[in-house]
């Protein structure tokens, strides 16, 4: 096997420098790749793994560039692709007689897909297997066709093996955009008023709101006392001991106190709660 030095520079500084570095690393011949893969698989040779990773960085860059339309940092896409590359190298079997890059493409794309699905929107756009399948295929189709007709929706559904409703739902999700919490810098006053920050403010500390909450709590407490007063003494005591005390009694505790079975206490408690609920609803 030919030998060549592979030096990793100290911090590369920017993405262009990294890409230039990746492209300068010589590609491996099939024989060199096979020999390195055998060393890694049989001997756990980490230097062989390092050589395999470095020689395939250029392919990760090429694949990641195909996802530039998702408005995510290219460096992050490449980083995720590199994770997929390392997973592929760990699982690569040189006895399969295929080139590593052919095997690694799936792993590289899978990691990039996961990253895009996690970060393309604040809210997840694809959660089920069918939606994840649709996400990437539907974006490609929409670039050619724009908004779908009913016939196109049904055709896409047939091709991908999903329902037409799933296609329509994903089309709607792809059409939405995340809104800035504080609105856009050039928004007029009316648009700024409709930004999430305008109607998600915490009003719990406003004096009027605090007074309203206090009055409502007092009102409900008074109604509860009136409803409890309508119960017989034993039922009222059971509810107090089971629900209102800090140290709540068990069914067995009350059964021993009233010298009845725990099941009988449960029945009395259930009936008392029903009466209490009826009184509070009226």
């Amino acid at each position: 096997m030919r030998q060549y030095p592979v030096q990793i520079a100290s911090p590369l500084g920017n993405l262009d420098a990294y890409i230039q570095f990746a492209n300068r690393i010589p590609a491996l011949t099939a024989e060199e790749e096979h020999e390195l893969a055998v060393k890694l698989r049989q001997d756990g040779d980490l230097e062989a793994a390092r050589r395999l990773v470095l020689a395939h960085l250029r392919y990760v860059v090429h694949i990641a560039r195909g996802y530039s339309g998702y408005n995510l940092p290219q460096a992050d896409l490449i980083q995720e692709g590199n994770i997929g590359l390392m997973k592929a190298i760990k699982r690569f079997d040189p006895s399969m007689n295929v080139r590593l890059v052919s095997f690694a493409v799936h792993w590289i794309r899978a990691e990039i897909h996961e990253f895009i699905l996690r970060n393309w929107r604040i809210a997840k756009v694809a959660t089920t297997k069918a939606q994840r399948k649709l996400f990437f295929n539907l974006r490609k189709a929409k670039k050619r066709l724009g908004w779908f007709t009913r016939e196109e929706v049904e055709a896409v559904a047939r091709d991908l093996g999903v329902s037409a409703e799933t296609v329509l739902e994903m089309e709607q999700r792809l059409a939405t955009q995340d809104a800035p919490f504080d609105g856009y810098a050039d928004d007029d006053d009316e648009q700024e008023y409709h930004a999430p920050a305008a109607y998600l403010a915490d009003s719990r500390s406003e004096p009027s709101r605090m007074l309203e909450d206090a009055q409502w709590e007092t009102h409900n407490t008074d109604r509860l006392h009136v409803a409890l007063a309508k119960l017989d003494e034993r039922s009222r005591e059971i509810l107090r001991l089971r629900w209102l005390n800090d140290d709540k009694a068990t069914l067995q505790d009350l059964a021993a106190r009233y010298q009845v079975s725990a099941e009988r206490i449960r029945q009395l408690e259930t009936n008392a709660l029903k009466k209490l609920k009826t009184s509070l609803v009226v």
Side-chain angles (χ1 to χ4, degrees), residues 121-132:
R121 289 280 190 270
I122 293 175
K124 288 187 177 181
V125 294
T127 53
T128 67
K129 184 177 180 180
Q131 290 172 349
R132 293 160 68 89

Side-chain angles (χ1 to χ4, degrees), residues 1-2 28-38 52 94 99:
M1 176 186 287
R2 63 193 169 107
L28 298 172
T29 65
E31 293 76 16
E32 290 171 334
E33 181 183 292
H34 184 271
E35 184 177 341
L36 290 170
V38 170
L52 289 170
R99 294 301 299 267

Side-chain angles (χ1 to χ4, degrees), residues 205-223:
S205 298
E206 293 180 1
S208 60
R209 178 65 177 272
M210 294 173 67
L211 177 61
E212 179 184 349
D213 291 343
Q215 290 177 338
W216 181 250
E217 183 177 353
T218 301
H219 171 69
N220 285 333
T221 302
D222 291 342
R223 292 182 64 209

Side-chain angles (χ1 to χ4, degrees), residues 114 116-128 131-132 135 169-170 173 176 178:
E114 284 293 328
I116 292 173
L117 289 171
R118 289 196 309 268
N119 295 278
W120 193 62
R121 289 280 190 270
I122 293 175
K124 288 187 177 181
V125 294
T127 53
T128 67
Q131 290 172 349
R132 293 160 68 89
F135 178 78
E169 181 182 358
M170 181 56 66
R173 292 186 183 187
T176 60
D178 292 333

Side-chain angles (χ1 to χ4, degrees), residues 185-197:
D186 57 351
D187 279 352
D188 56 32
D189 292 340
E190 182 177 352
Q191 289 174 317
E192 188 173 325
Y193 177 77
H194 292 291

Side-chain angles (χ1 to χ4, degrees), residues 72-85:
L72 293 171
Q74 192 72 18
D76 290 346
L77 295 173
I78 292 173
Q79 177 176 287
E80 295 297 321
N82 286 341
I83 294 173
L85 171 63

